Amino acid sequence: ETGVTQSPTHLIKTRGQQVTLRCSSQSGHNTVSWYQQALGQGPQFIFQYYREEENGRGNFPPRFSGLQFPNYSSELNVNALELDDSALYLCASRDQGGREKLFFGSGTQLSVL
Amino acid sequence: DQQVKQNSPSLSVQEGRISILNCDYTNSMFDYFLWYKKYPAEGPTFLISISSIKDKNEDGRFTVFLNKSAKHLSLHIVPSQPGDSAVYFCAGGRNFGNEKLTFGTGTRLTIIP
């Protein structure tokens, strides 16, 4: 059973650029969610996808968008990057019936200069 | 609006002793709570959960206590081991809606050999 994998592990961008982060869900998991963890903070919910549809969103602006593909892999896209977008971005997956256990990837560390 | 709070950023405990990590919440609508553990350069891993209708859940060395009237939960680890050194996050979740998790800011636990 493979776990949740994320790529890339580290990324450096400049303000105003766009970035795409990728995630492969754990085998058999049809729900994926993305979290942003700023330095010294806990993870904050960005959005969740189930069966390729967004079914929940946190307090993040529309320049944060996502996709889920038929194989349950997922992308997080951020447009017009701002300095405050610098954070660890975590992808998590679960089976629809297993609400309690989120399985997290190791994250992508994004630095915006 | 910090719905889940972990007021102790760090805690040091002697090996073999009990570690007690605390968490307070303000949202009385949470249906369940979870504890996650995070090592550096890894994603959070699920540790233990508790339903809001319970006051205690135990799994090996880990016990979570919930006091709904005080809106407080705690994680007890006994006996503490060096491998328990990590950052611990508590989180609250709801059964319906987008099922997002709301995390606290974390407590760094250091076990002293």
Side-chain angles (χ1 to χ4, degrees), chain A residues 82-94:
Chain A
E82 301 177 0
L83 298 180
D84 284 348
D85 296 333
S86 295
L88 179 68
Y89 288 85
L90 295 162
C91 170
S93 72
R94 65 176 156 207

Side-chain angles (χ1 to χ4, degrees), chain B residues 10-97:
Chain B
S10 63
L11 176 68
S12 294
V13 174
Q14 289 279 348
E15 182 180 357
R17 299 286 185 98
I18 184 171
S19 295
I20 300 176
L21 296 95
N22 294 304
C23 180
D24 297 297
Y25 62 95
T26 57
N27 188 346
S28 58
M29 302 299 287
F30 287 134
D31 296 303
Y32 56 90
F33 300 90
L34 311 95
W35 285 92
Y36 278 82
K37 173 180 177 180
K38 187 178 186 300
Y39 293 119
E42 295 184 12
T45 55
F46 171 79
L47 200 55
I48 191 169
S49 64
I50 187 167
S51 166
S52 62
I53 63 173
K54 306 271 189 183
D55 55 17
K56 178 182 175 181
N57 188 27
E58 202 170 346
D59 184 2
R61 296 187 298 115
F62 303 93
T63 303
V64 56
F65 295 92
L66 175 61
N67 182 334
K68 284 191 73 174
S69 61
K71 293 192 173 74
H72 177 84
L73 64 155
S74 61
L75 173 68
H76 292 212
I77 307 172
V78 56
S80 300
Q81 299 174 355
D84 297 329
S85 294
V87 178
Y88 289 78
F89 293 97
C90 67
R94 297 190 61 188
N95 288 334
F96 301 104

Side-chain angles (χ1 to χ4, degrees), chain A residues 35 37 40-45 48 55-59 88 90 94 96 99-107, chain B residues 2 32 34 36 38 41-46 49-51 89 94-95 97-106:
Chain A
Y35 286 78
Q37 186 179 7
Q41 302 296 316
Q44 290 210 15
F45 177 75
Q48 175 173 282
N55 72 342
R57 190 176 185 93
N59 293 328
L88 179 68
L90 295 162
R94 65 176 156 207
Q96 180 60 13
R99 68 172 189 277
E100 294 185 348
K101 287 188 181 181
L102 277 182
F103 291 84
F104 283 89
S106 298
Chain B
Q2 191 85 30
Y32 56 90
L34 311 95
Y36 278 82
K38 187 178 186 300
E42 295 184 12
T45 55
F46 171 79
S49 64
I50 187 167
S51 166
F89 293 97
R94 297 190 61 188
N95 288 334
N98 58 30
E99 298 183 12
K100 71 174 185 178
L101 293 181
T102 301
F103 285 85
T105 53

